[in-house]
Amino acid sequence: MENHAKYKNFGNALRCPLCEESLQVVQSKSLICPNRHTFDISHHGYVNTLSHSPKSRYNKAFFEARKKIIMESELFKRLHEKISAIIDTYSADSDKPAFILDAGCGEGSHLEKILDNSRNETVTGIGLDLSKDGIAQAAKNYKHSIWLVGDLAKSPLADHSMNLILNIFSPSNYKEFKRILAPDGLIIKVVPRADHLKELRDAIHGIEENNLYKNDETISLFKKHFTLTDIITVTDARELDKSERTHLVQMSPLAWDSNEKALDAFITRSSQITIDADILIGLNQKETRL
Ligand SMILES: C[S@@+](CC[C@H](N)C(=O)[O-])C[C@H]1O[C@@H](n2cnc3c(N)ncnc32)[C@H](O)[C@@H]1O
Ligand SMILES: [Zn+2]
C-alpha cells in the first residue's frame, strides 16, 4: 500500500501532538491539523511528530544490534509466541479491524514478529518511539505497520483510538495509555525479572551483587491503573554464538559504561543466555486513583 493511503485509512486515530486537533493527509505527502501544524510522511513512510529530536544513547548501532538478536536469534521466541497467543485470544470474538500500538517500539522487530505469529489479519500495528534512528530503521524494514516518531508521554494518537497497547522493556505513561486505549482495551507490558540476561549481569556486576532486581514496584504501579488479569512468566535459555553475544552487549543498556574487559570476557566465555520476564496483562476498566 502507498504510504499516504496507509495514513488515510488510519486518519481518525491520529491527533496533533501540539494542539490536540485531528490530522488529515494533504497532497499525499503530509499530515496537517486545522492550526496548520504539519508533519511530513518520509520516503520510507514514517512520520516524525516531534519538533526536535532529543539526543539519546539509543542510536543506530544499538538498534541494529537489537534487530539482529530479535530477528535472527531465537532468544525472544517464547516471549513473542506468548504475546501473539494473548492477542489471538483477546481478539478471537471480533473480526473488526483493531489497532495495536507498540509504545516505545525501538526499531520495531518485536512488533513485526508478534504480528507475524498472530493469526489475526484484521490487526494494524503502530510503532511509536522517541528515537528517529529506531523509527527510520523500522519503516525501512517493515512495511505493513505505521511508524511514528513521538513521545509516549504526549502521543500523536486520538482518545480511545487503540484496542491494545504493547509496552516491551520500555518506559510507560499510564495516564496517556488510558487516554488512547479503547474503554475495554488491553495493555500488555513486558518487564524483566531477576534472572533476565543474568549471564551479562554477572559479568558486569559480579555474581554476589546480582539477583537484587525486583519488579514488584512496577507491578504495583501497573495495578493502580489497570485491572491486572494475568501475569505470565517467560523463562528460557538459549545458546548464542560469539557474534550474537557481541550484538547482545551492543543492544543492552546494562552494558553502557561497563568495564570493557568484563564485557570482552563475557563475549569470549558465556554461551548460554537467559531470558526471564513477566508479561503483565491489564484491562482498561479502572478509573485512575493517582
Ligand atoms: C530498552 S529500549 C526497548 C525498545 C524495544 N521495545 C525493544 O525491546 O527492542 C527502550 C525504548 O524506549 C524508548 N523511549 C524512551 N522514552 C520514550 C518516550 N518518552 N516516548 C517514546 N519512546 C521512548 C527509547 O527510545 C527506546 O527505543
Ligand atoms: Zn496542531
Side-chain angles (χ1 to χ4, degrees), residues 6 12 21 28 41 43 86 130 149 152 160 172 179 182 188 190 199 205 208 214 219 226 235 239 272 278 287-288:
K6 207 153 74 170
N12 293 343
E21 297 286 344
S28 303
I41 303 170
H43 173 63
I86 299 165
L130 207 52
V149 182
L152 58 79
H160 312 304
S172 302
R179 179 186 70 75
I188 299 175
V190 179
E199 298 78 5
H205 302 297
E208 307 79 55
K214 288 212 165 43
I219 297 174
F226 297 99
T235 308
E239 300 270 325
Q272 184 95 339
D278 280 332
E287 279 310 302
T288 306

Side-chain angles (χ1 to χ4, degrees), residues 58 63 66 70 104-106 110 129-131 150-152 168-171:
Y58 297 114
F63 289 119
R66 262 188 122 72
I70 298 168
C105 64
H110 285 307
D129 201 282
L130 207 52
S131 165
D151 187 350
L152 58 79
I168 305 175
F169 303 125
S170 287

Side-chain angles (χ1 to χ4, degrees), residues 50 54 56-59 62-63 66-67 70 76 79-80 102-111 128-132 134-135 148-155 166-173 177 190 251-253 256:
L50 294 178
S56 162
R57 294 185 77 171
Y58 297 114
N59 56 22
F62 172 89
F63 289 119
R66 262 188 122 72
K67 172 170 184 271
I70 298 168
F76 294 100
L79 185 72
H80 294 147
D102 185 353
C105 64
E107 48 67 53
S109 294
H110 285 307
L111 181 62
L128 174 77
D129 201 282
L130 207 52
S131 165
K132 193 173 155 196
I135 291 296
L148 305 168
V149 182
D151 187 350
L152 58 79
K154 200 175 184 340
S155 87
L166 295 173
N167 183 226
I168 305 175
F169 303 125
S170 287
S172 302
N173 184 302
F177 288 175
V190 179
M251 70 171 263
S252 301
W256 288 344

Side-chain angles (χ1 to χ4, degrees), residues 2-38:
E2 290 286 323
N3 287 327
H4 66 271
K6 207 153 74 170
Y7 285 92
K8 265 211 166 98
N9 294 342
F10 185 57
N12 293 343
L14 285 166
R15 79 172 200 185
C16 175
L18 301 174
C19 67
E20 304 183 359
E21 297 286 344
S22 60
L23 286 168
Q24 306 290 333
V25 179
V26 283
Q27 295 170 352
S28 303
K29 66 177 183 57
S30 304
L31 301 174
I32 188 164
C33 78
N35 295 317
R36 309 204 67 76
H37 299 126
T38 307

Side-chain angles (χ1 to χ4, degrees), residues 131-162:
S131 165
K132 193 173 155 196
D133 284 340
I135 291 296
Q137 200 176 303
K140 214 161 144 189
N141 292 324
Y142 309 126
K143 296 294 172 196
H144 295 300
S145 296
I146 285 175
W147 302 106
L148 305 168
V149 182
D151 187 350
L152 58 79
K154 200 175 184 340
S155 87
L157 296 162
D159 293 359
H160 312 304
S161 56
M162 298 291 117

